[in-house]
Amino acid sequence: MGNCNNSTVEELQACESHQWYRKFMTECPSGLLTFYEFKKFFGLRNLSETSNAYIETMFTTFDMNNDGFIDFMEYVAALSLVLKGGVQQKLRWYFKLYDIDGSGCIDREELLLIIKSIRAINGVSHEMSADDFANMVFDKIDINGDGELSYEEFMEGVQNDEMLLKTLTESLDLTHIVQKIQGEIRANT
């Protein structure tokens, strides 16, 4: 099973799963990924306090059973969401990620914190400031004007605004991290 030159889709998927499992177990022999290992696994070093808080929130959203670890099944679920998840699935995950305090709503400060963190990690300059972007999001989709985005407002508002959907999807695109891991897997096979 050293290479993936199989002919059927099922064989390719099984080979890829085996490689992901090998990578996971090599990096995390206990089978449980801690927050520290999570950051190391994805090559996230020397983060600012804000960026570290964002990564911690991301870790928590992937830790589906809230035990403080990411096991292999949670890891696979996260990768599946990133690589193959549909718009609805991704938006549901984004909402959970943005709702830092778990209140069931996203306030302007939570959104602003996430936007600033993502921008710090991605290192890409943007035409619009993080404050202006957060204001624009709320102006567009905070239907009742209460200063919070409910799950329904978020889902409907983002899906009905092509520019917003594209911007949010691109800002949380983790495929560059997945591609890095895939490159390491290929180099070690």
Side-chain angles (χ1 to χ4, degrees):
M1 201 131 188
N3 61 28
C4 283
N5 294 330
N6 301 314
S7 56
T8 69
V9 171
E10 291 82 15
E11 288 172 331
L12 285 170
Q13 288 174 336
C15 185
E16 185 177 271
S17 296
H18 175 74
Q19 288 179 333
W20 282 108
Y21 182 75
R22 235 178 49 211
K23 167 77 173 157
F24 183 84
M25 292 309 289
T26 300
E27 296 288 329
C28 187
S30 71
L32 297 172
L33 197 61
T34 65
F35 177 61
Y36 172 78
E37 290 166 327
F38 179 77
K39 287 182 5 180
K40 183 179 168 194
F41 193 82
F42 291 109
L44 302 169
R45 295 177 187 86
N46 304 321
L47 299 175
S48 70
E49 192 175 317
T50 304
S51 297
N52 199 62
Y54 164 69
I55 295 300
E56 194 164 353
T57 302
M58 183 182 289
F59 177 85
T60 304
T61 62
F62 288 149
D63 177 16
M64 295 170 201
N65 63 359
N66 297 317
D67 65 356
F69 301 98
I70 295 176
D71 63 29
F72 183 68
M73 292 310 292
E74 290 167 329
Y75 168 75
V76 168
L79 287 176
S80 181
L81 172 72
V82 170
L83 294 172
K84 302 171 187 161
V87 171
Q88 290 274 341
Q89 290 174 301
K90 288 183 179 181
L91 287 178
R92 205 172 10 259
W93 181 73
Y94 295 164
F95 184 84
K96 186 177 176 186
L97 181 64
Y98 291 162
D99 181 16
I100 296 169
D101 64 7
S103 67
C105 291
I106 302 168
D107 65 37
R108 194 176 306 270
E109 291 306 309
E110 287 174 317
L111 183 62
L112 190 58
L113 175 67
I114 294 296
I115 292 167
K116 287 179 177 178
S117 299
I118 291 169
R119 288 181 174 187
I121 291 167
N122 290 344
V124 178
S125 62
H126 297 272
E127 293 175 22
M128 189 181 293
S129 75
D131 285 305
D132 289 344
F133 182 77
N135 290 336
M136 185 256 315
V137 169
F138 272 83
D139 289 346
K140 285 186 172 199
I141 65 177
D142 183 14
I143 304 299
N144 62 7
D146 66 354
E148 294 183 325
L149 300 176
S150 68
Y151 176 76
E152 292 77 20
E153 284 176 316
F154 179 80
M155 294 295 283
E156 191 173 318
V158 173
Q159 288 180 83
N160 291 332
D161 189 308
E162 208 169 301
M163 187 277 292
L164 211 66
L165 179 61
K166 182 177 186 272
T167 303
L168 290 177
T169 304
E170 286 174 358
S171 72
L172 283 171
D173 183 10
L174 304 177
T175 53
H176 64 287
I177 292 173
V178 174
Q179 288 169 347
K180 179 182 177 212
I181 294 170
Q182 287 175 326
E184 290 174 9
I185 288 172
R186 281 190 214 102
N188 293 324
T189 56

